[in-house]
Amino acid sequence: MLGEALRMIGGALGALLTQPFYYIFLIGVLLHYRRQGILERKLFNIRIYVYAGRVLRTVITGIIVGLLVSIVMAFIGIHIQTEVIWCIGTILILLSVFRLRYAHITMALAVLTIIYMVLLSLPSWQPTGFIGQVIESIRNVDLPGLLAISVLLQLIEAVLFRMQATRFSSPVVIEGKRGKPVGAYAIEAFWPIPLWLFIPSTGGLVLPWTPLHGAESWINGVSLTALPVMIGCSILTQTHLPQVKVNAIAKRLLQSSFIMIVLAALALWWAPIAIPALVIAVILREWIMYVSRREESQQSPLFIRGLRGLKILDVIPASPAAELGITAGESVYKVNGQLIQDPQSLHAALRINPAFCKLEILNIQGESKFLQRAIYAGDHHQLGMIFAPDDQAVISPDIQRLSVWHLVTKPRVHKLNNGYQEADATLLLESNLSTETEIPEEPIELTPEYIEKHGLPKRPRRK
C-alpha cells in the first residue's frame, strides 16, 4: 500500500508539472511584480521595493494553501475529470485577458456553469473526438465539489488578504476627480494555488475513510490529480492608508465567505443549489468591489499636497525615514527649523546642516513629533520619503484596468493635460487685448489765461 501511495503522489506531482497552467500563473506573477518595479522608477525615479521577496512569499503561501485545501477536500470529496481541469485553466487565462482581477477560481467556475447550462440545453449535440470528450465531461461536471473548493479558497483568501496584502501594496500616481495628480496605493495580491485532489478510480488506492460527497463512488479506490487555480484581489485606494483599506476588504470577504459556506453545504446535500450559489458568489464578490469604488469616489483623497507641510506617500524600506519611524500619511512640517512646503524647500533645509537634521513631523491626527538623526554619505536625498505628487507629476493611466496585455508591455505614464490653465490664460490675454487702452491725459497747468478761457475744472463725480 505504501508503494502504491508513493506512486500515486508521484503521478500527481507529474500531472502538475506537465500541465502548463501552473507555470503560466507563476510567469504572470513574475511579470506583474516586474511591471510594478518599472512603474515605480517611472513615477518616482527610484525602485522602492525589492520584489523578489514578494514573489517568494506568494509562491510559498500558495503551496501551503494548496496543501491545506487538498487535505480538507480529501474528506469532502470531488469528482473531476482531466478535461474539466483544462477547461478551468483555459477560462482563467482568457479572463485575465480582460482584467487580472477576473482570473479567480470563482469567476472561472461561473463561466464554466454558463457553459454547462448551455450544453444541457443542447442534448442532441454529440460531437466526436476530443471535443466530444470535453463536452461530455462538462455535462457531468461536479459543480457542488467545485463550489466547495471555491468557498474554501475564498475563506483562506480573506485571511491571507488581511495578513499579507499590505506588504503587496505599492504607491502609484493616478488622475484625481478634479483632473489633478493624486497619490494612491495599488493593493494587488495574487496567489497561484496548486491543488492535489482525490478522485474516484477503479483499482486505485482505497482510503481508510469515506469522503462526504458521493460516498458510493469511493468504494473501488481513488487516484490523485492536480488542479492549479488562482485567487487574489486588486484594490486601489486614494482615500485610506493601505492597512485600513485591507482590513475593510478582508472583513467583507470573510462575511461573504460565511454566507457561501452555508450555500456550499446545502449544495453538497442537494446538487441543484450549486448553480444559484455560484451566481450569488460572483454577485457578492462584485458587490465588494463596487462598494470599494463607491467609497473612493465619495471621499477626499488623502495623498495630496496640503497647506501644512509636505504629505508623505510612502517610505523606502531601510531608509533614514524608515529607521526614524516615519510612515505614510504623515507630513514633514519643519526641517532644521525651516517650514517645508515642497521638495525644494526640504533640500534647502537639509543643506543648512549636511551632517545632522532635526525634523518636525505631523502625524495623521495633525499632532507634532520631533525626530533627529545624523546624515551619512549615501543616504537618500529625501531621507527615503516619497511625497504626494504636485500638479506637474506624471500619472499611470492603466493601473485600474490591468490585463495580461499590460504585463507584457512597458507601463505607460504621462502628464495630465493642463489645458484648462492654458485656456484661462488665453482668455485673460484676449480680454486684455480687447480692452481699449486709456491714454492718460497730460496734467493741466492752471494759468490765469486758462482760467479766463475755460474756467475752473469740475470736481470728478464719485463712482
Side-chain angles (χ1 to χ4, degrees):
M1 180 177 290
L2 179 60
E4 185 177 352
L6 291 177
R7 284 195 300 271
M8 186 171 58
I9 293 174
L13 291 175
L16 178 66
L17 295 177
T18 55
Q19 287 180 359
F21 301 115
Y22 189 65
Y23 297 112
I24 292 173
F25 298 155
L26 289 180
I27 292 172
V29 170
L30 290 171
L31 291 175
H32 171 65
Y33 288 129
R34 171 183 170 272
R35 184 185 187 278
Q36 284 188 335
I38 296 174
L39 185 60
E40 286 177 359
R41 288 189 180 276
K42 289 191 172 186
L43 293 176
F44 310 110
N45 298 317
I46 188 173
R47 188 169 182 171
I48 302 175
Y49 295 101
V50 178
Y51 288 99
R54 294 189 176 187
V55 173
L56 185 62
R57 186 182 298 114
T58 295
V59 174
I60 293 177
T61 302
I63 293 174
I64 294 174
V65 169
L67 290 173
L68 291 176
V69 174
S70 299
I71 291 172
V72 175
M73 288 305 301
F75 292 93
I76 294 178
I78 187 174
H79 303 72
I80 188 169
Q81 293 84 7
T82 304
E83 292 81 5
V84 173
I85 293 175
W86 279 80
C87 285
I88 293 174
T90 303
I91 293 172
L92 285 170
I93 294 173
L94 292 177
L95 289 175
S96 66
V97 173
F98 297 96
R99 292 286 187 275
L100 287 182
R101 71 180 187 87
Y102 293 160
H104 190 278
I105 179 62
T106 301
M107 298 296 183
L109 293 184
V111 175
L112 183 64
T113 302
I114 295 174
I115 299 173
Y116 166 78
M117 296 179 68
V118 171
L119 292 177
L120 286 185
S121 65
L122 301 172
S124 60
W125 187 37
Q126 298 288 343
T128 58
F130 175 74
I131 299 297
Q133 294 178 2
V134 173
I135 290 175
E136 187 63 25
S137 297
I138 296 177
R139 283 173 174 160
N140 297 315
V141 67
D142 183 9
L143 288 179
L146 291 173
L147 176 63
I149 292 176
S150 174
V151 172
L152 288 173
L153 288 174
Q154 182 172 320
L155 180 63
I156 294 177
E157 179 189 32
V159 177
L160 288 180
F161 199 77
R162 186 180 182 90
M163 294 174 58
Q164 296 188 357
T166 304
R167 300 179 184 179
F168 293 136
S169 62
S170 298
V172 294
V173 182
I174 62 173
E175 181 179 359
K177 293 182 291 185
R178 298 184 179 180
K180 293 186 177 182
V182 298
Y185 272 88
I187 307 171
E188 297 171 329
F190 300 100
W191 296 274
I193 309 293
L195 298 176
W196 293 275
L197 304 173
F198 286 120
I199 58 174
S201 176
T202 303
L205 177 67
V206 178
L207 295 177
W209 67 89
T210 302
L212 175 66
H213 179 48
E216 68 283 353
S217 59
W218 303 97
I219 300 174
N220 297 323
V222 299
S223 60
L224 200 60
T225 189
L227 171 64
V229 296
M230 281 285 290
I231 62 172
C233 279
S234 177
I235 302 294
L236 185 72
T237 179
Q238 57 178 316
T239 62
H240 296 89
L241 292 173
Q243 187 61 57
V244 176
K245 190 70 173 181
V246 164
N247 291 344
I249 297 298
K251 181 180 179 180
R252 292 165 188 162
L253 285 173
L254 198 61
Q255 291 171 344
S256 64
S257 298
F258 291 147
I259 297 174
M260 293 309 304
I261 287 175
V262 176
L263 294 176
L266 292 174
L268 290 174
W269 172 66
W270 191 47
I273 297 179
I275 295 177
L278 282 168
V279 174
I280 293 173
V282 174
I283 293 174
L284 289 175
R285 189 169 188 84
E286 288 302 303
W287 175 80
I288 293 172
M289 302 299 122
Y290 168 75
V291 171
S292 175
R293 291 193 297 269
R294 187 183 63 182
E295 290 175 346
E296 294 296 319
S297 64
Q298 292 178 347
Q299 300 181 26
S300 300
L302 177 61
F303 302 103
I304 57 175
R305 293 288 174 92
L307 298 177
R308 297 189 65 198
L310 197 55
K311 181 73 72 173
I312 300 171
L313 175 59
D314 202 359
V315 175
I316 301 174
S319 64
E323 294 175 3
L324 289 171
I326 298 173
T327 59
E330 297 182 331
S331 299
V332 182
Y333 186 56
K334 288 184 179 180
V335 174
N336 292 331
Q338 303 296 310
L339 289 173
I340 304 301
Q341 293 296 336
D342 50 44
Q344 291 74 25
S345 59
L346 171 66
H347 300 155
L350 289 173
R351 285 196 295 269
I352 294 176
N353 188 351
F356 198 81
C357 65
K358 295 182 178 180
L359 309 175
E360 182 178 349
I361 305 295
L362 302 179
N363 62 15
I364 302 294
Q365 292 75 29
E367 301 171 348
S368 296
K369 62 179 181 180
F370 299 91
L371 307 170
Q372 57 184 7
R373 184 187 186 276
I375 301 177
Y376 303 101
D379 282 346
H380 188 261
H381 65 286
Q382 294 180 167
L383 303 181
M385 294 178 287
I386 306 297
F387 297 112
D390 57 19
D391 292 346
Q392 302 302 315
V394 295
I395 69 161
S396 172
D398 303 322
I399 196 66
Q400 301 184 64
R401 50 180 184 271
L402 291 181
S403 65
V404 168
W405 171 254
H406 297 102
L407 296 185
V408 297
T409 57
K410 291 184 178 180
R412 297 186 303 134
V413 298
H414 64 78
K415 287 188 177 182
L416 290 174
N417 182 15
N418 293 326
Y420 63 92
Q421 296 178 355
E422 298 173 0
D424 292 344
T426 303
L427 291 175
L428 181 60
L429 179 60
E430 292 176 352
S431 176
N432 291 337
L433 292 175
S434 63
T435 304
E436 294 183 0
T437 305
E438 298 181 357
I439 303 174
E441 299 179 356
E442 296 182 359
I444 301 174
E445 186 179 357
L446 298 177
T447 61
E449 292 80 6
Y450 181 88
I451 295 175
E452 183 179 356
K453 183 178 181 180
H454 301 284
L456 291 172
K458 296 181 180 180
R459 183 186 300 275
R461 294 181 179 180
R462 295 183 179 178
K463 295 183 180 179

